[in-house]
Amino acid sequence: MEQSIISSNPILFMIAVLLIFMACYTALDLLTTLITIVKYKRLLYIGSICSMGVAIWTLNFVVIFTFENTGMASYNFASIMLSLAIGVALAGVGLLAISYKQQLLHMIFCSFMFTMAILSNYIMGMFALNNSVQFNPMLLVITLLIIFSLFLISLLVLFYINKVSQSSLKPVSTLIMSAAIIEGYFLFLRVFPVTGEKEINEFVQLSPFILYLVSFVSLFILASLIGSSTIVGRRLAKSDNTVSDIRYALDQSSIVAITDAEGIITYVNEKFIEISQYEEHELIGKSHSIINSGYHSQEFFADLWCTIKQGKTWNGEICNRAKDGEIYWVDTTIVPFMKKGKPYQYISIRSDISRRKRAESDLRVSIKELEDMYYAINQSSIVAITDEKGIIVDVNDKFSEVSGYKRSELIGHTHQLVNSGYHSKEFFDDMWKTIQNRKVWNGEIRNRAKDGSYYWVDTTIVPFYTVEGKPFQFLALRYDITERKQTEEMLHRQDKLAAVGQLAAGVAHEIRNPLTSMKGYTEYLQLDEKDENRLEYLGIIMDEINRVNEIVEEFLELSKPQPLILETKNIVPIIQNVLSLTEFDARKKNVILFFDCYHEEILIRCDENRLKQVLLNFVINGIEAMPDGGEIKVVTELKEEKVHISIIDTGVGMPPDQLRRIGEPFFTTKKSGNGLGLMISFKIIESHLGRVFVESEVNKGTVFNIVLPMEIVKDFSNDGIEKVGLV
């Protein structure tokens, strides 16, 4: 017949309830420790599943022994141990899921495993007593749902309520879980009624086996609690040591202060006291305004407070004032600590950066000085930096301005790009030998600009070497001395002209009188002479007399130069007229003349006849330099309010040694020349405030470049617009 529990031992039942509570608490304590630490995870997991398995199995075992059968309990010991193993296994699967992730799905799975563990333990216990099991399906489902719900509630209380600390929730969760286990067994007794005849109102006697078993289970639970406490204690001790070490390190290296939510200082370390020079009692209870230097604006601190009140960490540099008035800088990190979404205190960690800030200030001053020096050098000097192979790596704007090359056109090339060909190979070999020997080289160099013009630079090259003594770059500082060189050249030429003029003044008169007599008598002899051979000889004599007379005239030109009659003239028709005068001679020598000019009118102040003399001289020289024919191109351009006239031939050209002597008196490359023509031409251009520079290359031709100032004629028309004399 179906019976309820009619014979039991209350003492045994109370011991079982206590053991269940202790086992559940131990299992949850080990589980929470397992989740939060890295070490001992395997040991904690084994202890947790064993504790939970014992908690589920204990009451089942006690209930089994509350039944008597003819005065002796009849049971299968192997089945009882198997029920314990199954309980431990199912509990282990559930705890493994919840230790991996504390999410709702994992909690549901864990609660289900615990419920299955209780069910399997009860059924195995009944089979261990060799009792038949009968049940009501509907009651079984309801019972399982009740047990499952209680387990789930206990886990939700432990892991989902965040506003209360987990240590406070652990007893509540343990109580609910213990109730689930105890209530489950009472419910299962109703769902699975046990059949058999029982003695009524008799207490089950506590046999030695039961006492030993209860003692073993109690010792196991106590050992688990002690082990858990030991692990947690070690962890706390280690954490305390770590915190102490960190605090010691911070005190040695950082300035630490703690304030409340209102910014009132509640703690400062020794480093704070040392750097601020305030005593601890002078700082506690005050705000940081006590060390405010006034350097930062109100907006600065408003932004700081806005950041930390939002729960964000603030980092920045702050200038403070010590008690003695000295300014010091700190790199500050302020960390807010939150409670219920609001900060309740702030910890500020600062590092003294006063030395770095002073270094930065000194560095800014040094950089400003260097920038000023660099600016001054850029305004006055041509600067270039090359690597150890002479490849240009950097140039300043002055270099680009003087050379006419863009910065991108210079970088990556050598100075061969601006080589004029004026200096010999030995000149540059000596320069490289000097700087390779770690000496500074200084000298004057003539370079060629992008437009073909020449410019002179006074150059200083400074070598830079590594610690190992290897050159890694060269700094070249240059000063434009073109005007000085032109002045020197002009003075040199004037000295020569003065010498020639003095010679001409003394010699011309002595030569001219005999020439006049010789010319007169020669003409007289030509009138009466009938012999053709003699007439030919007399003609040769007359030609030579005329040639000598021309030289004398040029001497007189040098000794008594005619004054210039300067007028505003259009240079374009003057050049066209000169080319038309030389066109016949050019055609006879197979020379083609070209005139290239994009302007119809270019006004200059000049003596037209003297300027024609110069242009005729240069064009005729070009024609005579091309015995086999060729081309002469006259190019006229405007550059920076100056007129550039280039007379370019394709003749035999001149080597550098001859080019350097062009314009000297009595130096000429022609068989019948005397060199005075070019000398006079240069003097005429100089008297027009212009200059001449000559370029030549053997077998490629020669270029005579004339640079003259342009006349600016201002004309204000009726509409008030200024017009320049340039078409």
Side-chain angles (χ1 to χ4, degrees):
M1 59 180 289
E2 186 175 325
Q3 298 283 343
S4 61
I5 302 177
I6 59 175
S7 181
S8 61
N9 191 319
I11 298 174
L12 186 61
F13 180 77
M14 291 302 297
I15 293 173
V17 170
L18 181 61
L19 290 176
I20 290 171
F21 185 85
M22 293 173 59
C24 287
Y25 187 88
T26 302
L28 293 180
D29 186 58
L30 293 173
L31 175 64
T32 54
T33 307
L34 168 68
I35 293 171
T36 56
I37 71 170
V38 177
K39 290 186 176 181
Y40 311 112
K41 279 186 175 291
R42 184 176 298 177
L43 181 61
L44 290 171
Y45 176 68
I46 294 172
S48 179
I49 63 174
C50 289
S51 297
M52 183 56 69
V54 168
I56 293 171
W57 176 81
T58 298
L59 190 58
N60 176 55
F61 182 76
V62 170
V63 168
I64 290 173
F65 281 94
T66 60
F67 295 100
E68 282 286 338
N69 187 10
T70 65
M72 283 294 292
S74 177
Y75 58 88
N76 187 331
F77 185 77
S79 297
I80 294 173
M81 291 297 102
L82 181 60
S83 68
L84 175 61
I86 293 175
V88 170
L90 292 173
V93 174
L95 290 174
L96 181 63
I98 200 70
S99 66
Y100 179 66
K101 282 186 179 180
Q102 294 79 49
Q103 295 180 352
L104 181 60
L105 184 62
H106 293 77
M107 294 182 189
I108 292 173
F109 178 76
C110 183
S111 301
F112 176 75
M113 288 293 105
F114 288 170
T115 305
M116 292 298 102
I118 292 177
L119 177 62
S120 63
N121 264 262
Y122 185 82
I123 294 174
M124 290 297 296
M126 293 301 100
F127 283 119
L129 291 173
N130 299 314
N131 291 325
S132 61
V133 178
Q134 298 177 357
F135 65 94
N136 186 327
M138 182 62 68
L139 289 177
L140 177 62
V141 172
I142 295 173
T143 299
L144 292 175
L145 286 174
I146 292 172
I147 299 171
F148 170 80
S149 300
L150 289 172
F151 278 124
L152 182 59
I153 291 171
S154 68
L155 294 175
L156 290 173
V157 168
L158 184 63
F159 293 110
Y160 260 49
I161 300 178
N162 297 324
K163 294 185 178 181
V164 183
S165 65
Q166 202 173 60
S167 60
S168 301
L169 293 172
K170 201 178 297 179
V172 178
S173 181
T174 302
L175 187 62
I176 297 172
M177 190 171 287
S178 300
I181 296 172
I182 297 168
E183 182 65 24
Y185 280 104
F186 281 105
L187 291 174
F188 282 141
L189 284 173
R190 296 182 181 276
V191 176
F192 300 94
V194 180
T195 59
E197 294 183 358
K198 305 293 177 186
E199 296 290 336
I200 301 175
N201 298 327
E202 291 183 3
F203 287 104
V204 175
Q205 299 299 319
L206 295 176
S207 65
F209 175 76
I210 295 175
L211 291 174
Y212 292 149
L213 185 61
V214 170
S215 300
F216 170 76
V217 173
S218 300
L219 289 173
F220 175 79
I221 294 172
L222 287 174
S224 298
L225 285 172
I226 293 170
S228 173
S229 299
T230 302
I231 294 173
V232 172
R234 287 181 179 177
R235 184 186 174 203
L236 289 175
K238 184 177 180 181
S239 298
D240 288 341
N241 290 334
T242 303
V243 171
S244 298
D245 292 343
I246 293 173
R247 182 172 178 177
Y248 177 77
L250 283 175
D251 284 341
Q252 294 302 309
S253 62
S254 301
I255 305 159
V256 182
I258 300 176
T259 67
D260 61 14
E262 302 301 322
I264 303 302
I265 299 173
T266 58
Y267 168 81
V268 292
N269 70 341
E270 293 294 332
K271 202 77 172 176
F272 195 118
I273 296 170
E274 177 186 341
I275 194 168
S276 70
Q277 300 179 16
Y278 286 96
E279 298 295 331
E280 184 177 3
H281 68 272
E282 294 178 296
L283 295 168
I284 301 296
K286 303 289 196 308
S287 69
H288 280 86
S289 60
I290 193 174
I291 55 173
N292 188 356
S293 65
Y295 178 86
H296 304 283
S297 64
Q298 291 183 354
E299 291 76 12
F300 176 86
F301 291 107
D303 176 71
L304 182 153
W305 275 102
C306 180
T307 301
I308 59 178
K309 281 186 176 181
Q310 293 175 359
K312 299 178 182 177
T313 300
W314 184 89
N315 183 268
E317 296 177 352
I318 299 179
C319 178
N320 289 333
R321 186 188 300 275
K323 188 176 182 179
D324 64 355
E326 183 181 355
I327 296 296
Y328 65 94
W329 281 85
V330 285
D331 187 353
T332 303
T333 299
I334 302 177
V335 182
F337 287 81
M338 312 296 288
K339 182 183 291 185
K340 297 182 181 180
K342 293 183 179 180
Y344 68 92
Q345 72 174 13
Y346 305 101
I347 294 182
S348 60
I349 301 173
R350 302 176 176 91
S351 299
D352 185 5
I353 57 171
S354 302
R355 186 178 298 176
R356 194 196 80 192
K357 296 296 285 188
R358 286 193 293 269
E360 288 177 356
S361 178
D362 295 341
L363 181 60
R364 280 193 294 270
V365 173
S366 300
I367 290 174
K368 182 63 172 60
E369 292 176 352
L370 288 174
E371 287 176 348
D372 293 342
M373 293 174 62
Y374 183 74
Y375 176 78
I377 291 173
N378 274 339
Q379 295 301 308
S380 61
S381 303
I382 303 164
V383 182
I385 299 175
T386 69
D387 62 13
E388 72 279 4
K389 297 180 181 178
I391 304 297
I392 298 173
V393 296
D394 193 21
V395 295
N396 68 341
D397 295 336
K398 198 77 173 177
F399 196 119
S400 298
E401 177 187 338
V402 173
S403 68
Y405 288 96
K406 295 180 181 178
R407 190 170 182 271
S408 59
E409 295 177 304
L410 292 166
I411 293 177
H413 296 83
T414 66
H415 281 86
Q416 185 67 30
L417 189 66
V418 293
N419 188 357
S420 64
Y422 179 84
H423 304 283
S424 64
K425 183 177 180 297
E426 290 74 17
F427 176 87
F428 292 108
D429 288 344
D430 177 70
M431 181 191 77
W432 273 101
K433 183 178 179 181
T434 301
I435 59 178
Q436 290 289 345
N437 288 332
R438 307 181 71 171
K439 297 179 182 178
V440 176
W441 184 89
N442 184 268
E444 296 179 352
I445 301 177
R446 191 178 83 163
N447 289 334
R448 185 201 298 269
K450 188 177 182 179
D451 61 2
S453 62
Y454 294 105
Y455 63 94
W456 281 86
V457 285
D458 187 344
T459 303
T460 300
I461 302 177
V462 182
F464 290 87
Y465 284 78
T466 62
V467 178
E468 293 79 13
K470 296 181 180 179
F472 70 94
Q473 71 176 18
F474 300 100
L475 173 64
L477 297 174
R478 301 178 176 90
Y479 299 93
D480 189 356
I481 58 170
T482 305
E483 291 186 5
R484 193 195 82 191
K485 295 295 287 186
Q486 290 173 351
T487 302
E488 290 177 356
E489 184 179 353
M490 182 176 66
L491 292 174
H492 180 63
R493 188 179 292 117
Q494 286 177 351
D495 289 341
K496 291 181 180 179
L497 287 173
V500 173
Q502 291 176 359
L503 176 64
V507 175
H509 292 289
E510 300 297 329
I511 296 177
R512 202 165 192 182
N513 290 331
L515 281 178
T516 303
S517 300
M518 291 171 62
K519 185 177 181 181
Y521 284 117
T522 302
E523 290 175 346
Y524 177 76
L525 290 174
Q526 284 179 325
L527 293 175
D528 297 331
E529 186 61 53
K530 303 298 182 182
D531 190 339
E532 292 183 0
N533 290 331
R534 290 185 176 181
L535 283 173
E536 182 180 356
Y537 296 151
L538 290 173
I540 293 172
I541 293 172
M542 184 60 70
D543 291 338
E544 293 300 318
I545 290 173
N546 289 332
R547 183 167 176 270
V548 173
N549 191 52
E550 289 177 0
I551 294 174
V552 172
E553 291 292 336
E554 290 179 351
F555 272 138
L556 292 175
E557 180 78 18
L558 291 173
S559 62
K560 294 181 181 180
Q562 298 177 3
L564 293 176
I565 303 174
L566 296 178
E567 298 176 323
T568 300
K569 294 288 184 178
N570 183 5
I571 190 66
V572 177
I574 294 175
I575 298 173
Q576 291 173 338
N577 182 255
V578 169
L579 292 178
S580 63
L581 291 175
T582 56
E583 185 176 3
F584 179 74
D585 289 337
R587 195 178 301 165
K588 287 195 300 182
K589 295 187 177 181
N590 296 322
V591 175
I592 303 174
L593 301 178
F594 295 96
F595 180 50
D596 188 356
C597 181
Y598 294 101
H599 304 280
E600 295 180 1
E601 186 177 73
I602 301 176
L603 301 180
I604 64 171
R605 294 278 293 171
C606 68
D607 186 325
E608 182 175 350
N609 291 327
R610 307 299 293 276
L611 190 58
K612 280 184 179 179
Q613 179 183 348
V614 173
L615 294 173
L616 278 170
N617 194 1
F618 289 168
V619 172
I620 290 172
N621 283 343
I623 293 173
E624 292 177 350
M626 295 182 288
D628 299 326
E631 296 179 356
I632 290 181
K633 181 184 289 186
V634 180
V635 180
T636 305
E637 298 176 298
L638 296 177
K639 296 179 181 178
E640 300 178 353
E641 297 185 358
K642 292 185 181 296
V643 182
H644 291 251
I645 304 170
S646 299
I647 302 169
I648 308 166
D649 67 53
T650 58
V652 295
M654 290 178 285
D657 58 334
Q658 292 183 358
L659 187 62
R660 281 194 291 269
R661 300 188 61 191
I662 284 294
E664 293 183 3
F666 307 112
F667 174 77
T668 180
T669 59
K670 297 186 292 185
K671 294 181 180 180
S672 59
N674 53 39
L676 295 177
L678 285 179
M679 189 175 186
I680 294 171
S681 297
F682 287 176
K683 185 178 180 182
I684 291 172
I685 295 299
E686 289 170 2
S687 65
H688 281 75
L689 303 179
R691 58 191 177 92
V692 180
F693 56 93
V694 186
E695 304 172 59
S696 186
E697 192 171 348
V698 177
N699 297 325
K700 289 189 177 182
T702 303
V703 181
F704 281 84
N705 295 288
I706 304 172
V707 180
L708 294 169
M710 187 177 70
E711 175 73 5
I712 303 297
V713 180
K714 297 182 179 179
D715 176 26
F716 293 91
S717 59
N718 295 332
D719 56 5
I721 300 175
E722 179 181 335
K723 296 182 179 179
V724 180
L726 174 62
V727 180

